[in-house]
Amino acid sequence: MHELSVALGIVKIAEDETAKAGAEKVELIELEIGTLAGVDFESLEFVWPAAVKDTVLEFALKKISVLKGKAKCVDCDTVFEIQHLYDSCPECGSNFKGIIQGKELRVKALEVV
Amino acid sequence: MCGTCGCGNGENGVSIHNPKDLKTNEHGHHHHDEPAHEHTHDGHTHTHSHDHAHAHEHDHQHAHHQKKVIEVEQDILHHNDVMAARNRGYFEAKNIFALNLVSSPGSGKTSLLERTLKDLKTEIPFFVIEGDQQTMNDANRIAAIDIPVIQINTGKGCHLESDAIFDAVKRLNITDNTVLMIENVGNLVCPSMFDLGESKRVVIISTTEGEDKPIKYPDMFHTSDLCIINKIDLLPYVHIDVEKLKQHALKVNPKLQFIELSATTGEGMNTWYDWLKKQKN
């Protein structure tokens, strides 16, 4: 249940950026979360109302772009989609891979008023 | 913040104690009657609070009511990562070798730590940070062997974060050229995402756990440097294929190293001590 920490991290970023912009609240928040980031989307939804209560995000619309996992094989350079961290290369079977997408966990943009 | 979800809010929930400052085993904070937490699941009442009533008569624009898009592009764990980098820099400057010990509850982290400290304390100066949701028990066990220790109670929090380590380190007054052991909260999921600034991460698994744990909880094995397989004295009594366990772990992290040992009988402990001494230098 580290999703609450994640949600509070999002709140902190939103509070800071909203204050910097001299705005009052956030109308839309865009997040980018990879499937390998270690975040359970349902848990994030569950903790969200408690985390954003009495903050600039309380009534904000939340848009999450989910980025699928992608890796590049160290041995044969094949780029392939991965669902799990333990997926091996479909071409050569190697476990050595660099993850090139799917670890993202970031606030992309805010629409403030 | 949220009593039912299993997590504290990370700020008010965390407390840091030195066992020497506390006379009894009781931890100092009392649970003030928690107010029934208010999950506002019942559709927040959107009361459109545009309180300027169509002021069409004046023609200047209310600039601050205009929508503005901020391209933030910031990592959500940025704050934790920054504080971790700060810890890491401090450790490097003082030549402190810091280990983050992670595992599920009951794998024998504290027993392994106790034995290691007892066996090596004349050779290596140690400092310890203990992370648990509640109680001073682990810190008391370490303090009993005369090792400086700080207990972090995370309240409902399920992992240690780098800012708590930063505060604990300040209280510990760590000297140069030492080893800092950070025993994380027993949890094989959440601590994986939170860099504490450690030099190496050590995941401990015991033979009483399933051999498929590394693929069930891949994140922790993916981010660790060393995997200690504890309780090998129980191998005759449990059904676990240690080779299969290693294969699973290597699928997740091909660079992972393994040490098999028993903190109870002492078997294999020397390999761990050799690793520790080699890494430290």
PDB file of all heavy atoms in Angstrom, chain B residues 153-189:
ATOM      1  N   ASN B 153       9.693   4.176  13.935  1.00  0.00           N
ATOM      2  CA  ASN B 153       8.365   3.556  13.877  1.00  0.00           C
ATOM      3  C   ASN B 153       7.577   4.279  12.800  1.00  0.00           C
ATOM      4  O   ASN B 153       7.372   5.484  12.865  1.00  0.00           O
ATOM      5  CB  ASN B 153       7.644   3.644  15.224  1.00  0.00           C
ATOM      6  CG  ASN B 153       8.182   2.632  16.228  1.00  0.00           C
ATOM      7  OD1 ASN B 153       8.369   2.931  17.398  1.00  0.00           O
ATOM      8  ND2 ASN B 153       8.456   1.428  15.766  1.00  0.00           N
ATOM      9  N   THR B 154       7.152   3.524  11.823  1.00  0.00           N
ATOM     10  CA  THR B 154       6.493   4.150  10.671  1.00  0.00           C
ATOM     11  C   THR B 154       4.996   4.315  10.882  1.00  0.00           C
ATOM     12  O   THR B 154       4.292   4.759   9.989  1.00  0.00           O
ATOM     13  CB  THR B 154       6.734   3.309   9.403  1.00  0.00           C
ATOM     14  OG1 THR B 154       6.258   1.980   9.651  1.00  0.00           O
ATOM     15  CG2 THR B 154       8.198   3.265   9.037  1.00  0.00           C
ATOM     16  N   GLY B 155       4.511   3.933  12.075  1.00  0.00           N
ATOM     17  CA  GLY B 155       3.060   4.037  12.315  1.00  0.00           C
ATOM     18  C   GLY B 155       2.346   3.075  11.400  1.00  0.00           C
ATOM     19  O   GLY B 155       2.606   1.886  11.435  1.00  0.00           O
ATOM     20  N   LYS B 156       1.485   3.582  10.545  1.00  0.00           N
ATOM     21  CA  LYS B 156       0.806   2.693   9.611  1.00  0.00           C
ATOM     22  C   LYS B 156       1.583   2.553   8.307  1.00  0.00           C
ATOM     23  O   LYS B 156       1.191   1.813   7.417  1.00  0.00           O
ATOM     24  CB  LYS B 156      -0.612   3.190   9.350  1.00  0.00           C
ATOM     25  CG  LYS B 156      -1.484   3.115  10.592  1.00  0.00           C
ATOM     26  CD  LYS B 156      -2.933   2.893  10.251  1.00  0.00           C
ATOM     27  CE  LYS B 156      -3.739   2.492  11.468  1.00  0.00           C
ATOM     28  NZ  LYS B 156      -3.769   3.538  12.499  1.00  0.00           N
ATOM     29  N   GLY B 157       2.668   3.288   8.179  1.00  0.00           N
ATOM     30  CA  GLY B 157       3.460   3.253   6.939  1.00  0.00           C
ATOM     31  C   GLY B 157       4.116   1.892   6.745  1.00  0.00           C
ATOM     32  O   GLY B 157       4.519   1.243   7.700  1.00  0.00           O
ATOM     33  N   CYS B 158       4.225   1.484   5.498  1.00  0.00           N
ATOM     34  CA  CYS B 158       4.653   0.117   5.213  1.00  0.00           C
ATOM     35  C   CYS B 158       6.096   0.045   4.734  1.00  0.00           C
ATOM     36  O   CYS B 158       6.556  -0.994   4.295  1.00  0.00           O
ATOM     37  CB  CYS B 158       3.730  -0.482   4.175  1.00  0.00           C
ATOM     38  SG  CYS B 158       3.446   0.613   2.780  1.00  0.00           S
ATOM     39  N   HIS B 159       6.841   1.125   4.784  1.00  0.00           N
ATOM     40  CA  HIS B 159       8.215   1.129   4.285  1.00  0.00           C
ATOM     41  C   HIS B 159       8.952   2.323   4.881  1.00  0.00           C
ATOM     42  O   HIS B 159       8.330   3.258   5.367  1.00  0.00           O
ATOM     43  CB  HIS B 159       8.214   1.254   2.766  1.00  0.00           C
ATOM     44  CG  HIS B 159       7.469   2.479   2.292  1.00  0.00           C
ATOM     45  ND1 HIS B 159       6.123   2.457   2.002  1.00  0.00           N
ATOM     46  CD2 HIS B 159       7.872   3.759   2.127  1.00  0.00           C
ATOM     47  CE1 HIS B 159       5.739   3.672   1.652  1.00  0.00           C
ATOM     48  NE2 HIS B 159       6.781   4.487   1.729  1.00  0.00           N
ATOM     49  N   LEU B 160      10.274   2.295   4.807  1.00  0.00           N
ATOM     50  CA  LEU B 160      11.062   3.456   5.223  1.00  0.00           C
ATOM     51  C   LEU B 160      11.241   4.381   4.023  1.00  0.00           C
ATOM     52  O   LEU B 160      11.325   3.920   2.892  1.00  0.00           O
ATOM     53  CB  LEU B 160      12.437   3.010   5.721  1.00  0.00           C
ATOM     54  CG  LEU B 160      12.483   2.248   7.045  1.00  0.00           C
ATOM     55  CD1 LEU B 160      13.896   1.759   7.326  1.00  0.00           C
ATOM     56  CD2 LEU B 160      11.999   3.139   8.182  1.00  0.00           C
ATOM     57  N   GLU B 161      11.302   5.686   4.293  1.00  0.00           N
ATOM     58  CA  GLU B 161      11.585   6.640   3.225  1.00  0.00           C
ATOM     59  C   GLU B 161      12.862   7.390   3.572  1.00  0.00           C
ATOM     60  O   GLU B 161      13.288   7.432   4.725  1.00  0.00           O
ATOM     61  CB  GLU B 161      10.398   7.596   3.031  1.00  0.00           C
ATOM     62  CG  GLU B 161       9.185   6.850   2.474  1.00  0.00           C
ATOM     63  CD  GLU B 161       8.023   7.751   2.061  1.00  0.00           C
ATOM     64  OE1 GLU B 161       8.228   8.963   1.867  1.00  0.00           O
ATOM     65  OE2 GLU B 161       6.909   7.224   1.937  1.00  0.00           O
ATOM     66  N   SER B 162      13.444   7.995   2.541  1.00  0.00           N
ATOM     67  CA  SER B 162      14.778   8.556   2.713  1.00  0.00           C
ATOM     68  C   SER B 162      14.834   9.735   3.676  1.00  0.00           C
ATOM     69  O   SER B 162      15.865   9.969   4.306  1.00  0.00           O
ATOM     70  CB  SER B 162      15.356   8.951   1.356  1.00  0.00           C
ATOM     71  OG  SER B 162      14.467   9.795   0.679  1.00  0.00           O
ATOM     72  N   ASP B 163      13.731  10.474   3.825  1.00  0.00           N
ATOM     73  CA  ASP B 163      13.802  11.620   4.747  1.00  0.00           C
ATOM     74  C   ASP B 163      13.848  11.163   6.211  1.00  0.00           C
ATOM     75  O   ASP B 163      14.492  11.810   7.045  1.00  0.00           O
ATOM     76  CB  ASP B 163      12.688  12.652   4.501  1.00  0.00           C
ATOM     77  CG  ASP B 163      11.302  12.036   4.460  1.00  0.00           C
ATOM     78  OD1 ASP B 163      11.208  10.802   4.595  1.00  0.00           O
ATOM     79  OD2 ASP B 163      10.333  12.792   4.280  1.00  0.00           O
ATOM     80  N   ALA B 164      13.189  10.015   6.503  1.00  0.00           N
ATOM     81  CA  ALA B 164      13.261   9.479   7.865  1.00  0.00           C
ATOM     82  C   ALA B 164      14.680   8.986   8.152  1.00  0.00           C
ATOM     83  O   ALA B 164      15.186   9.136   9.274  1.00  0.00           O
ATOM     84  CB  ALA B 164      12.251   8.343   8.050  1.00  0.00           C
ATOM     85  N   ILE B 165      15.327   8.414   7.147  1.00  0.00           N
ATOM     86  CA  ILE B 165      16.711   7.958   7.300  1.00  0.00           C
ATOM     87  C   ILE B 165      17.621   9.164   7.559  1.00  0.00           C
ATOM     88  O   ILE B 165      18.502   9.140   8.426  1.00  0.00           O
ATOM     89  CB  ILE B 165      17.185   7.197   6.033  1.00  0.00           C
ATOM     90  CG1 ILE B 165      16.374   5.920   5.833  1.00  0.00           C
ATOM     91  CG2 ILE B 165      18.684   6.888   6.096  1.00  0.00           C
ATOM     92  CD1 ILE B 165      16.463   4.913   6.961  1.00  0.00           C
ATOM     93  N   PHE B 166      17.354  10.224   6.806  1.00  0.00           N
ATOM     94  CA  PHE B 166      18.124  11.460   6.968  1.00  0.00           C
ATOM     95  C   PHE B 166      18.059  11.963   8.422  1.00  0.00           C
ATOM     96  O   PHE B 166      19.080  12.282   9.041  1.00  0.00           O
ATOM     97  CB  PHE B 166      17.539  12.508   6.009  1.00  0.00           C
ATOM     98  CG  PHE B 166      18.270  13.817   6.001  1.00  0.00           C
ATOM     99  CD1 PHE B 166      19.516  13.937   5.420  1.00  0.00           C
ATOM    100  CD2 PHE B 166      17.693  14.940   6.578  1.00  0.00           C
ATOM    101  CE1 PHE B 166      20.186  15.148   5.404  1.00  0.00           C
ATOM    102  CE2 PHE B 166      18.362  16.157   6.574  1.00  0.00           C
ATOM    103  CZ  PHE B 166      19.609  16.262   5.983  1.00  0.00           C
ATOM    104  N   ASP B 167      16.845  11.961   8.992  1.00  0.00           N
ATOM    105  CA  ASP B 167      16.672  12.409  10.380  1.00  0.00           C
ATOM    106  C   ASP B 167      17.321  11.434  11.364  1.00  0.00           C
ATOM    107  O   ASP B 167      17.962  11.851  12.332  1.00  0.00           O
ATOM    108  CB  ASP B 167      15.182  12.541  10.720  1.00  0.00           C
ATOM    109  CG  ASP B 167      14.537  13.676   9.956  1.00  0.00           C
ATOM    110  OD1 ASP B 167      15.274  14.582   9.518  1.00  0.00           O
ATOM    111  OD2 ASP B 167      13.302  13.663   9.775  1.00  0.00           O
ATOM    112  N   ALA B 168      17.157  10.137  11.108  1.00  0.00           N
ATOM    113  CA  ALA B 168      17.713   9.125  12.005  1.00  0.00           C
ATOM    114  C   ALA B 168      19.239   9.179  11.997  1.00  0.00           C
ATOM    115  O   ALA B 168      19.882   9.075  13.046  1.00  0.00           O
ATOM    116  CB  ALA B 168      17.234   7.743  11.601  1.00  0.00           C
ATOM    117  N   VAL B 169      19.817   9.379  10.825  1.00  0.00           N
ATOM    118  CA  VAL B 169      21.271   9.441  10.690  1.00  0.00           C
ATOM    119  C   VAL B 169      21.832  10.613  11.498  1.00  0.00           C
ATOM    120  O   VAL B 169      22.853  10.497  12.165  1.00  0.00           O
ATOM    121  CB  VAL B 169      21.656   9.555   9.189  1.00  0.00           C
ATOM    122  CG1 VAL B 169      23.057  10.095   9.013  1.00  0.00           C
ATOM    123  CG2 VAL B 169      21.533   8.194   8.513  1.00  0.00           C
ATOM    124  N   LYS B 170      21.104  11.730  11.470  1.00  0.00           N
ATOM    125  CA  LYS B 170      21.552  12.900  12.234  1.00  0.00           C
ATOM    126  C   LYS B 170      21.586  12.590  13.726  1.00  0.00           C
ATOM    127  O   LYS B 170      22.466  13.031  14.450  1.00  0.00           O
ATOM    128  CB  LYS B 170      20.626  14.092  11.965  1.00  0.00           C
ATOM    129  CG  LYS B 170      21.009  14.853  10.710  1.00  0.00           C
ATOM    130  CD  LYS B 170      20.370  16.221  10.665  1.00  0.00           C
ATOM    131  CE  LYS B 170      18.944  16.125  10.208  1.00  0.00           C
ATOM    132  NZ  LYS B 170      18.308  17.403   9.935  1.00  0.00           N
ATOM    133  N   ARG B 171      20.591  11.804  14.185  1.00  0.00           N
ATOM    134  CA  ARG B 171      20.518  11.476  15.612  1.00  0.00           C
ATOM    135  C   ARG B 171      21.554  10.443  16.026  1.00  0.00           C
ATOM    136  O   ARG B 171      21.875  10.319  17.208  1.00  0.00           O
ATOM    137  CB  ARG B 171      19.117  10.941  15.957  1.00  0.00           C
ATOM    138  CG  ARG B 171      17.988  11.868  15.567  1.00  0.00           C
ATOM    139  CD  ARG B 171      17.271  12.463  16.745  1.00  0.00           C
ATOM    140  NE  ARG B 171      16.983  11.539  17.812  1.00  0.00           N
ATOM    141  CZ  ARG B 171      15.769  11.161  18.170  1.00  0.00           C
ATOM    142  NH1 ARG B 171      14.717  11.609  17.513  1.00  0.00           N
ATOM    143  NH2 ARG B 171      15.592  10.353  19.189  1.00  0.00           N
ATOM    144  N   LEU B 172      22.028   9.650  15.052  1.00  0.00           N
ATOM    145  CA  LEU B 172      22.956   8.567  15.372  1.00  0.00           C
ATOM    146  C   LEU B 172      24.403   9.023  15.563  1.00  0.00           C
ATOM    147  O   LEU B 172      25.208   8.303  16.122  1.00  0.00           O
ATOM    148  CB  LEU B 172      22.928   7.522  14.251  1.00  0.00           C
ATOM    149  CG  LEU B 172      22.104   6.250  14.453  1.00  0.00           C
ATOM    150  CD1 LEU B 172      22.201   5.373  13.226  1.00  0.00           C
ATOM    151  CD2 LEU B 172      22.523   5.473  15.686  1.00  0.00           C
ATOM    152  N   ASN B 173      24.726  10.204  15.048  1.00  0.00           N
ATOM    153  CA  ASN B 173      26.117  10.689  15.085  1.00  0.00           C
ATOM    154  C   ASN B 173      27.106   9.639  14.573  1.00  0.00           C
ATOM    155  O   ASN B 173      28.028   9.237  15.279  1.00  0.00           O
ATOM    156  CB  ASN B 173      26.525  11.070  16.519  1.00  0.00           C
ATOM    157  CG  ASN B 173      25.774  12.284  16.981  1.00  0.00           C
ATOM    158  OD1 ASN B 173      25.590  13.229  16.206  1.00  0.00           O
ATOM    159  ND2 ASN B 173      25.317  12.252  18.220  1.00  0.00           N
ATOM    160  N   ILE B 174      26.898   9.199  13.362  1.00  0.00           N
ATOM    161  CA  ILE B 174      27.735   8.129  12.800  1.00  0.00           C
ATOM    162  C   ILE B 174      29.162   8.636  12.575  1.00  0.00           C
ATOM    163  O   ILE B 174      29.360   9.739  12.069  1.00  0.00           O
ATOM    164  CB  ILE B 174      27.153   7.632  11.470  1.00  0.00           C
ATOM    165  CG1 ILE B 174      25.693   7.244  11.664  1.00  0.00           C
ATOM    166  CG2 ILE B 174      27.956   6.457  10.937  1.00  0.00           C
ATOM    167  CD1 ILE B 174      25.068   6.585  10.475  1.00  0.00           C
ATOM    168  N   THR B 175      30.124   7.806  12.960  1.00  0.00           N
ATOM    169  CA  THR B 175      31.522   8.183  12.734  1.00  0.00           C
ATOM    170  C   THR B 175      31.980   7.708  11.353  1.00  0.00           C
ATOM    171  O   THR B 175      31.297   6.917  10.700  1.00  0.00           O
ATOM    172  CB  THR B 175      32.426   7.565  13.814  1.00  0.00           C
ATOM    173  OG1 THR B 175      32.024   6.208  14.018  1.00  0.00           O
ATOM    174  CG2 THR B 175      32.297   8.311  15.124  1.00  0.00           C
ATOM    175  N   ASP B 176      33.150   8.158  10.933  1.00  0.00           N
ATOM    176  CA  ASP B 176      33.675   7.806   9.608  1.00  0.00           C
ATOM    177  C   ASP B 176      34.120   6.342   9.564  1.00  0.00           C
ATOM    178  O   ASP B 176      34.395   5.736  10.597  1.00  0.00           O
ATOM    179  CB  ASP B 176      34.880   8.691   9.265  1.00  0.00           C
ATOM    180  CG  ASP B 176      34.471  10.143   9.103  1.00  0.00           C
ATOM    181  OD1 ASP B 176      33.276  10.450   9.295  1.00  0.00           O
ATOM    182  OD2 ASP B 176      35.350  10.965   8.787  1.00  0.00           O
ATOM    183  N   ASN B 177      34.211   5.813   8.343  1.00  0.00           N
ATOM    184  CA  ASN B 177      34.709   4.447   8.100  1.00  0.00           C
ATOM    185  C   ASN B 177      33.948   3.387   8.887  1.00  0.00           C
ATOM    186  O   ASN B 177      34.533   2.573   9.591  1.00  0.00           O
ATOM    187  CB  ASN B 177      36.204   4.351   8.452  1.00  0.00           C
ATOM    188  CG  ASN B 177      36.993   5.465   7.800  1.00  0.00           C
ATOM    189  OD1 ASN B 177      36.857   5.690   6.591  1.00  0.00           O
ATOM    190  ND2 ASN B 177      37.789   6.186   8.577  1.00  0.00           N
ATOM    191  N   THR B 178      32.644   3.404   8.771  1.00  0.00           N
ATOM    192  CA  THR B 178      31.808   2.460   9.521  1.00  0.00           C
ATOM    193  C   THR B 178      30.798   1.783   8.590  1.00  0.00           C
ATOM    194  O   THR B 178      30.729   2.095   7.405  1.00  0.00           O
ATOM    195  CB  THR B 178      31.038   3.193  10.638  1.00  0.00           C
ATOM    196  OG1 THR B 178      30.434   4.356  10.066  1.00  0.00           O
ATOM    197  CG2 THR B 178      31.952   3.628  11.755  1.00  0.00           C
ATOM    198  N   VAL B 179      30.054   0.862   9.177  1.00  0.00           N
ATOM    199  CA  VAL B 179      28.993   0.196   8.415  1.00  0.00           C
ATOM    200  C   VAL B 179      27.650   0.545   9.053  1.00  0.00           C
ATOM    201  O   VAL B 179      27.480   0.425  10.265  1.00  0.00           O
ATOM    202  CB  VAL B 179      29.196  -1.337   8.404  1.00  0.00           C
ATOM    203  CG1 VAL B 179      27.977  -2.033   7.777  1.00  0.00           C
ATOM    204  CG2 VAL B 179      30.454  -1.714   7.624  1.00  0.00           C
ATOM    205  N   LEU B 180      26.718   0.999   8.216  1.00  0.00           N
ATOM    206  CA  LEU B 180      25.369   1.307   8.696  1.00  0.00           C
ATOM    207  C   LEU B 180      24.407   0.247   8.166  1.00  0.00           C
ATOM    208  O   LEU B 180      24.289   0.051   6.960  1.00  0.00           O
ATOM    209  CB  LEU B 180      24.929   2.693   8.204  1.00  0.00           C
ATOM    210  CG  LEU B 180      23.456   3.058   8.442  1.00  0.00           C
ATOM    211  CD1 LEU B 180      23.134   3.166   9.920  1.00  0.00           C
ATOM    212  CD2 LEU B 180      23.101   4.363   7.724  1.00  0.00           C
ATOM    213  N   MET B 181      23.740  -0.445   9.079  1.00  0.00           N
ATOM    214  CA  MET B 181      22.747  -1.444   8.694  1.00  0.00           C
ATOM    215  C   MET B 181      21.365  -0.842   8.874  1.00  0.00           C
ATOM    216  O   MET B 181      21.000  -0.453   9.986  1.00  0.00           O
ATOM    217  CB  MET B 181      22.857  -2.681   9.594  1.00  0.00           C
ATOM    218  CG  MET B 181      24.186  -3.395   9.501  1.00  0.00           C
ATOM    219  SD  MET B 181      24.194  -4.404   8.010  1.00  0.00           S
ATOM    220  CE  MET B 181      25.409  -5.630   8.492  1.00  0.00           C
ATOM    221  N   ILE B 182      20.614  -0.777   7.794  1.00  0.00           N
ATOM    222  CA  ILE B 182      19.239  -0.274   7.888  1.00  0.00           C
ATOM    223  C   ILE B 182      18.300  -1.459   7.711  1.00  0.00           C
ATOM    224  O   ILE B 182      18.251  -2.058   6.638  1.00  0.00           O
ATOM    225  CB  ILE B 182      18.949   0.785   6.800  1.00  0.00           C
ATOM    226  CG1 ILE B 182      19.969   1.921   6.858  1.00  0.00           C
ATOM    227  CG2 ILE B 182      17.522   1.309   6.937  1.00  0.00           C
ATOM    228  CD1 ILE B 182      19.945   2.842   5.638  1.00  0.00           C
ATOM    229  N   GLU B 183      17.597  -1.814   8.769  1.00  0.00           N
ATOM    230  CA  GLU B 183      16.642  -2.911   8.648  1.00  0.00           C
ATOM    231  C   GLU B 183      15.276  -2.340   8.317  1.00  0.00           C
ATOM    232  O   GLU B 183      14.641  -1.674   9.137  1.00  0.00           O
ATOM    233  CB  GLU B 183      16.580  -3.741   9.941  1.00  0.00           C
ATOM    234  CG  GLU B 183      15.695  -4.950   9.757  1.00  0.00           C
ATOM    235  CD  GLU B 183      15.508  -5.800  11.011  1.00  0.00           C
ATOM    236  OE1 GLU B 183      16.361  -5.750  11.910  1.00  0.00           O
ATOM    237  OE2 GLU B 183      14.494  -6.498  11.069  1.00  0.00           O
ATOM    238  N   ASN B 184      14.844  -2.577   7.085  1.00  0.00           N
ATOM    239  CA  ASN B 184      13.596  -1.997   6.617  1.00  0.00           C
ATOM    240  C   ASN B 184      12.384  -2.697   7.249  1.00  0.00           C
ATOM    241  O   ASN B 184      12.522  -3.723   7.911  1.00  0.00           O
ATOM    242  CB  ASN B 184      13.530  -2.106   5.091  1.00  0.00           C
ATOM    243  CG  ASN B 184      12.877  -0.911   4.435  1.00  0.00           C
ATOM    244  OD1 ASN B 184      11.819  -0.472   4.867  1.00  0.00           O
ATOM    245  ND2 ASN B 184      13.507  -0.376   3.408  1.00  0.00           N
ATOM    246  N   VAL B 185      11.223  -2.131   7.053  1.00  0.00           N
ATOM    247  CA  VAL B 185       9.977  -2.744   7.525  1.00  0.00           C
ATOM    248  C   VAL B 185       9.800  -4.077   6.796  1.00  0.00           C
ATOM    249  O   VAL B 185      10.049  -4.163   5.599  1.00  0.00           O
ATOM    250  CB  VAL B 185       8.778  -1.815   7.216  1.00  0.00           C
ATOM    251  CG1 VAL B 185       7.462  -2.435   7.644  1.00  0.00           C
ATOM    252  CG2 VAL B 185       8.973  -0.458   7.870  1.00  0.00           C
ATOM    253  N   GLY B 186       9.410  -5.116   7.517  1.00  0.00           N
ATOM    254  CA  GLY B 186       9.200  -6.418   6.885  1.00  0.00           C
ATOM    255  C   GLY B 186       8.065  -6.366   5.888  1.00  0.00           C
ATOM    256  O   GLY B 186       6.896  -6.308   6.267  1.00  0.00           O
ATOM    257  N   ASN B 187       8.414  -6.332   4.614  1.00  0.00           N
ATOM    258  CA  ASN B 187       7.425  -6.136   3.555  1.00  0.00           C
ATOM    259  C   ASN B 187       8.166  -6.329   2.242  1.00  0.00           C
ATOM    260  O   ASN B 187       9.165  -5.660   1.996  1.00  0.00           O
ATOM    261  CB  ASN B 187       6.878  -4.712   3.669  1.00  0.00           C
ATOM    262  CG  ASN B 187       5.850  -4.358   2.610  1.00  0.00           C
ATOM    263  OD1 ASN B 187       5.815  -4.945   1.534  1.00  0.00           O
ATOM    264  ND2 ASN B 187       5.018  -3.390   2.916  1.00  0.00           N
ATOM    265  N   LEU B 188       7.696  -7.253   1.432  1.00  0.00           N
ATOM    266  CA  LEU B 188       8.434  -7.570   0.213  1.00  0.00           C
ATOM    267  C   LEU B 188       7.976  -6.739  -0.986  1.00  0.00           C
ATOM    268  O   LEU B 188       8.435  -6.932  -2.097  1.00  0.00           O
ATOM    269  CB  LEU B 188       8.270  -9.065  -0.090  1.00  0.00           C
ATOM    270  CG  LEU B 188       9.389  -9.796  -0.808  1.00  0.00           C
ATOM    271  CD1 LEU B 188      10.745  -9.519  -0.200  1.00  0.00           C
ATOM    272  CD2 LEU B 188       9.131 -11.292  -0.848  1.00  0.00           C
ATOM    273  N   VAL B 189       7.056  -5.809  -0.755  1.00  0.00           N
ATOM    274  CA  VAL B 189       6.520  -5.043  -1.880  1.00  0.00           C
ATOM    275  C   VAL B 189       6.959  -3.569  -1.814  1.00  0.00           C
ATOM    276  O   VAL B 189       7.770  -3.106  -2.618  1.00  0.00           O
ATOM    277  CB  VAL B 189       4.972  -5.122  -1.922  1.00  0.00           C
ATOM    278  CG1 VAL B 189       4.442  -4.430  -3.157  1.00  0.00           C
ATOM    279  CG2 VAL B 189       4.516  -6.572  -1.891  1.00  0.00           C
TER     280      VAL B 189
END
